[in-house]
Amino acid sequence: AGKPMILDGLTNLERINFSPDGRYAYLLLEGGRHVTTLDLWTMTLLDTQGLGDAFTALDVTPDGRYVVASNVPTNDVAELSFNNTACKVSIGGQPRNRCHISIYDTVLGTSQLTTLDQPLRDLDFSPVHNELVLTASKPVAAIDANVATVWFYDLGTRSFTSVIEFPNCADELKI
């Protein structure tokens, strides 16, 4: 409650997510191309980091160190239909985004853009390890079905540690 504040320099807000302690808001701005950190205790804009692509989703790791931007699943295709019996996803129209994630390190103030070879469907964070877990589905003509891929990405080393593939759809990931 109270009087609304207008902060200069904030345009085209796409998403907001918060640090685990509630002190910082991470704002996805400018068509999803920048993340700006807002200190909610002082209502001060701290910094802005370019992400290297346009994104539609924003997540924060449980420890608050990393902010992950992704193009999952909003605006990744123009048309999408799902056949539940065959577990197949059909994509029509023109793709609107590439399969990218951008990882912003709030301590170092750097970001890294990573390209995936499949349309990203969902992501979550491992509560046990400092890993980002990503999932995707791709059609495989030889088996006339989709293959789900799950990647494990170590945020500390900024590298993929393992990948699992299995015949199925991987549209949602919950850890």
Side-chain angles (χ1 to χ4, degrees), residues 8 56 64 88 173:
D8 291 331
T56 57
K88 292 175 73 173
L173 181 66

Side-chain angles (χ1 to χ4, degrees), residues 125-139:
F125 302 101
S126 169
V128 179
H129 302 288
N130 194 28
E131 287 184 320
L132 172 65
V133 184
L134 308 131
T135 185
S137 294
K138 68 178 177 180

Side-chain angles (χ1 to χ4, degrees), residues 80-83 86-91 121 137 139 146 169 171:
L80 182 70
S81 63
F82 180 71
N83 180 331
C87 196
K88 292 175 73 173
V89 176
S90 301
I91 299 173
R121 299 302 301 153
S137 294
N146 279 1
C169 293
D171 288 334

